[in-house]
Amino acid sequence: MSRFRSLFSLLALAAVLTVFGCSQSKPNVDLSLSDKQLDWVASKIFQNECSGEVDCLVHWNEGEAFPSLGIGHFIWYPKGVDEPYAESFPALVKFMKAESVDMPDWLAKMSPLDAPWPDRDSFLNQQSGPQIEFLRWFLDETKHVQAEFMYSRAQESLSKILDATPEDQRDAMRQRIDNLRNTAGGVYALIDYVNFKGEGLKASEAYDGQGWGLRQVLERMGEVDKRTALARFRQAAADVLTQRAENAPRAIERDKWLAGWLNRVETYKEVGPSPG
């Protein structure tokens, strides 16, 4: 990792810890990526979420009560919407402010930071208007900053997961994380999944008491070594997502979304640029 990347990562991490209301101590999990690797991870996540299409950078999925924005499809709740999924777009905006990123005035000054469209129909009626078009352009121009946000968020999320793990299980959990974080493919899987389905630490992020976040995937892996870790993570993610769809109160998760989720986790393989 370059000296610039190391310095920038520490600064970005301090900013994101402030965003999430945590102390600014260094997290106890370190993910190391070169510039080339981080760009590769960002392009993979953009492909997963948007098939590389700029129009998808500001999008509202059918069957959802909120829009999704950016290369990571960060969730943004309208006023009054309360869903069991972790909202992430406001945290991205705060991260960008901490990094002194120029952004649209209306977005920078918005308080409270609620999505300006109350429902999907309202969004669709305005999706070709200047506000949404400019927002798409802005998110296209700031893909690297979004990647830095996801990179720092993943490190903090892994630290939170370790802290929430019972002490007698913590060494095994750390071993699974270590086996994944030592390869580019494993780091990509960790960053993508926590951005995709959250940490799995909130009781609200569960159906029938069964969560679907990164914590649940790591727990389901069981004992692994470096050689088998990524394949086991891929299978555990597929199992957790299938369980979620089966428990879901809405048929759309089983009938429409699950196939795409499973295709996504199949990309968690050891490919991409070599370290350095």
Side-chain angles (χ1 to χ4, degrees):
M1 181 178 288
S2 67
R3 291 177 61 190
F4 173 78
R5 166 66 62 202
S6 299
L7 176 60
F8 187 87
S9 295
L10 288 173
L11 293 173
L13 182 57
V16 83
L17 290 176
T18 300
V19 165
F20 284 102
C22 303
S23 67
Q24 294 189 17
S25 60
K26 190 177 186 297
N28 54 16
V29 177
D30 182 41
L31 300 178
S32 297
L33 289 177
S34 67
D35 288 341
K36 185 177 181 181
Q37 288 172 320
L38 184 62
D39 287 341
W40 175 76
V41 168
S43 68
K44 289 290 291 181
I45 294 174
F46 185 31
Q47 187 66 32
N48 287 340
E49 294 286 6
C50 288
S51 300
E53 298 292 333
V54 173
D55 283 353
C56 183
L57 288 171
V58 183
H59 185 71
W60 195 311
N61 285 325
E62 181 182 356
E64 293 183 335
F66 49 83
S68 304
L69 295 86
I71 63 172
H73 263 199
F74 308 111
I75 291 173
W76 195 11
Y77 287 150
K79 182 180 179 180
V81 172
D82 184 18
E83 295 279 315
Y85 318 118
E87 187 180 27
S88 49
F89 185 71
L92 171 63
V93 172
K94 292 177 183 178
F95 179 80
M96 287 180 164
K97 287 181 179 180
E99 292 300 308
S100 301
V101 175
D102 289 333
M103 63 180 64
D105 284 345
W106 64 266
L107 181 61
K109 296 177 181 178
M110 183 179 286
S111 180
L113 197 58
D114 296 326
W117 316 285
D119 51 46
R120 188 169 185 265
D121 287 342
S122 176
F123 172 83
L124 293 176
N125 288 335
Q126 299 178 49
Q127 66 174 333
S128 297
Q131 183 185 52
I132 293 179
E133 286 296 328
F134 190 83
L135 191 54
R136 285 196 179 101
W137 173 85
F138 169 71
L139 291 168
D140 187 39
E141 291 293 307
T142 58
K143 290 197 289 287
H144 191 79
V145 179
Q146 295 167 57
E148 292 284 359
F149 169 71
M150 288 186 287
Y151 172 77
S152 297
R153 181 189 180 201
Q155 289 188 110
E156 178 63 12
S157 294
L158 289 167
S159 295
K160 289 180 181 178
I161 289 169
L162 273 177
D163 288 343
T165 301
E167 189 172 352
D168 62 342
Q169 301 171 28
R170 199 166 294 162
D171 287 346
M173 178 65 81
R174 177 176 282 281
Q175 187 62 50
R176 294 177 199 126
I177 293 171
D178 286 346
N179 285 328
L180 287 163
R181 71 182 180 86
N182 288 322
T183 67
V187 173
Y188 157 59
L190 291 168
I191 292 175
D192 184 74
Y193 195 89
V194 76
N195 177 73
F196 172 41
K197 289 301 177 194
E199 297 164 348
L201 297 175
K202 293 183 178 180
S204 61
E205 294 181 289
Y207 295 148
D208 293 341
Q210 295 179 317
W212 54 72
L214 180 59
R215 178 184 185 178
Q216 286 75 37
V217 174
L218 291 168
E219 288 174 341
R220 199 176 185 106
M221 286 174 65
E223 293 187 13
V224 295
D225 56 31
K226 184 177 180 180
R227 182 180 58 83
T228 61
L230 192 51
R232 291 289 290 276
F233 183 90
R234 188 167 61 245
Q235 184 59 56
D239 291 344
V240 165
L241 291 171
T242 299
Q243 175 182 274
R244 167 180 162 158
E246 290 173 349
N247 290 339
R250 298 179 299 169
I252 193 172
E253 298 203 23
R254 298 183 296 277
D255 299 342
K256 187 171 183 180
W257 296 348
L258 179 59
W261 296 345
L262 296 180
N263 286 338
R264 181 170 184 153
V265 301
E266 275 299 308
T267 69
Y268 297 165
K269 297 181 180 178
E270 195 50 65
V271 293
S274 60

